[in-house]
Amino acid sequence: MNQLESRIQRELARLREIGRERSLSSSLVQGARMRFEGREVLHFASNDYLGLSFDSRVREAAQIASMRYCAGATGSRLISGNHPELVMLEAELASWHGAEASLVFSSGYAANIGVISALAQPEDVIFSDELNHASIIDGCRMTRSKVVVYRHADLEHLYRLLRETRCQGQRFVVTDAVFSMDGDIAPIGDLLGVARRFEAVTVLDDAHGVGVLGTKGAGTLESLGIPVADDIVVIGTLSKALAAQGAYVAGRRILIDYLVNRARSFIFSTGLAPSCAGAARKARKIAEHEAWRREKVLSLSAVLRAGIRKLGYLVLDGSTTIVPVVVGDEHNVMEMSDFFLKKGVYVPAVRPPSVPEGQCRLRLCVTAAHETSDIERVLAIFGEWKQIAHNDYLVTSLVKGGERR
Ligand SMILES: *Cc1c(COP(=O)(O)O)cnc(C)c1O
């Protein structure tokens, strides 16, 4: 075996030894049900928050766009891939957010690395929340700017770092609007206040807020009544509540013109396929007009959060569709997830590197495709687990898991 292979083998063996080797399972989500490893289960595992990915209107829109135009975009947007479906989608996204313009990327990952690396120059400083999504972290790594990490949602810490860090260029504050593993919302109103004192531009990744929050579903900023301004760059995904694939940036026209010229993950990547753009357009329209979907998923999430907490588990504070139950220990969280699966419910366990060491958790995502009876069913299993697990162990694991805050 060559050197590379033996190195790879060593690394896989190491992951296996510490119980962290990951592998793919066959899965197919259809609403609140899912085929998982050949079994039909109830699940709390998808980001399809409004239940639109399985909606026949959205799937039909994908089909129609595909038949009207073509299956793939055939090239980079700057060469041949700028089909009409994308142009219409961008206009609709911009007006939804009250922004001058928007630009679609092929994924949220591509949008974050493309935007951050295009905007931040070597003389700039980026201030980044410690729990930001991996794509933001990678975007920061691709710049030659100084990157300063502030404690999660800690605005005093952010303020101090902004004051203490010398910067000869532009300051940026980058944050998830809704944190993907914790489900809490960044203190955006006050954060903008702090950022503005230092003339910093705020980049907000609203992957989990778009479609779910706000009267029109335009996301976290809309829900807080904060208009998109020239010192805010909003990034949203088409792959979560909007049921398709891809992502976008919304902001000033001049910003979008610049990204078209400078965002490498935009320039050197094929445009989003017509089917995805068509599906996203339809889902966005439905998301805007069927407010009951947002109301339903948020109220089911609140019932679930309160119910699990009442049973004595540590549920992180939040008001979104993401309900994290912190268990702490890696072995315990896997055992719990297996227990749920045996009962016919798939509840994914999240472990490092997705969360910090010692903070393993079950992460339940509620969708508008769930019903009250589904919530009751999973709550009953949490109750059963509590009976089975020694109370001692439940308590210590909770205390351990709760150390961070
Ligand atoms: C999911 C997610 C992304 C990545 O989006 P994709 O479209 O899946 O690439 C980016 N940021 C956050 C906060 C996310 O949760």
Side-chain angles (χ1 to χ4, degrees), residues 47 107-110 112 133 135 176 178 180 205 207-208 237 239-240 246-247:
N47 301 321
S107 72
Y109 188 90
N112 274 331
H133 190 265
S135 55
D176 283 16
V178 174
S180 49
D205 176 354
H208 300 276
T237 44
S239 53
K240 288 170 178 150

Side-chain angles (χ1 to χ4, degrees), residues 47 49 105-112 131-136 175-181 205-208 235-240 244-247 322 363:
N47 301 321
Y49 299 126
F105 286 69
S106 54
S107 72
Y109 188 90
N112 274 331
L131 294 188
N132 276 342
H133 190 265
S135 55
I136 293 179
T175 182
D176 283 16
V178 174
F179 286 86
S180 49
M181 292 302 141
D205 176 354
D206 204 11
H208 300 276
I235 294 167
T237 44
L238 307 174
S239 53
K240 288 170 178 150
Q245 192 144 9
I322 300 164
R363 177 175 175 274

Side-chain angles (χ1 to χ4, degrees), residues 1 4-14 16:
M1 188 188 289
L4 174 63
E5 268 192 35
S6 50
R7 191 169 78 199
I8 291 172
Q9 201 168 48
R10 270 200 310 278
E11 176 60 7
L12 285 175
R14 186 185 70 83
R16 209 167 302 136

Side-chain angles (χ1 to χ4, degrees), residues 87-246:
V87 177
M88 290 186 284
L89 172 62
E90 285 175 343
E92 291 158 2
L93 289 167
S95 105
W96 195 33
H97 285 281
E100 283 179 9
S102 85
L103 187 69
V104 168
F105 286 69
S106 54
S107 72
Y109 188 90
N112 274 331
I113 61 169
V115 170
I116 295 169
S117 64
L119 292 180
Q121 301 302 308
E123 66 276 18
D124 299 346
V125 182
I126 306 174
F127 298 84
S128 174
D129 188 291
E130 66 177 331
L131 294 188
N132 276 342
H133 190 265
S135 55
I136 293 179
I137 296 170
D138 292 359
C140 291
R141 283 184 185 152
M142 289 169 73
T143 69
R144 271 178 282 158
S145 314
K146 185 178 174 93
V147 180
V148 179
V149 176
Y150 61 92
R151 285 194 293 269
H152 176 52
D154 185 340
L155 296 186
E156 272 171 39
H157 194 213
L158 172 62
Y159 178 84
R160 205 171 71 228
L161 292 171
L162 276 162
R163 206 187 49 208
E164 286 170 1
T165 312
R166 278 169 53 96
C167 173
Q168 288 172 331
Q170 174 68 50
R171 293 176 174 85
F172 293 92
V173 176
V174 189
T175 182
D176 283 16
V178 174
F179 286 86
S180 49
M181 292 302 141
D182 289 49
D184 57 332
I185 300 175
I188 293 171
D190 293 337
L191 183 144
L192 285 171
V194 171
R196 282 172 175 158
R197 288 182 67 167
F198 297 89
E199 289 172 24
V201 166
T202 299
V203 180
L204 269 186
D205 176 354
D206 204 11
H208 300 276
V210 163
V212 174
L213 301 175
T215 319
K216 290 189 299 174
T220 311
L221 283 178
E222 194 211 345
S223 75
L224 299 170
I226 300 171
V228 176
D230 59 8
D231 59 355
I232 304 178
V233 178
V234 181
I235 294 167
T237 44
L238 307 174
S239 53
K240 288 170 178 150
L242 299 188
Q245 192 144 9

Side-chain angles (χ1 to χ4, degrees), residues 47-55 58-59 62 210-211 237-246 275-276 278-284 286-287:
N47 301 321
D48 179 25
Y49 299 126
L50 299 180
L52 290 174
S53 196
F54 194 51
D55 187 287
V58 175
R59 291 155 71 198
V210 163
T237 44
L238 307 174
S239 53
K240 288 170 178 150
L242 299 188
Q245 192 144 9
S275 56
C276 290
R281 284 185 70 206
K282 179 60 89 178
R284 195 211 60 78
I286 298 173

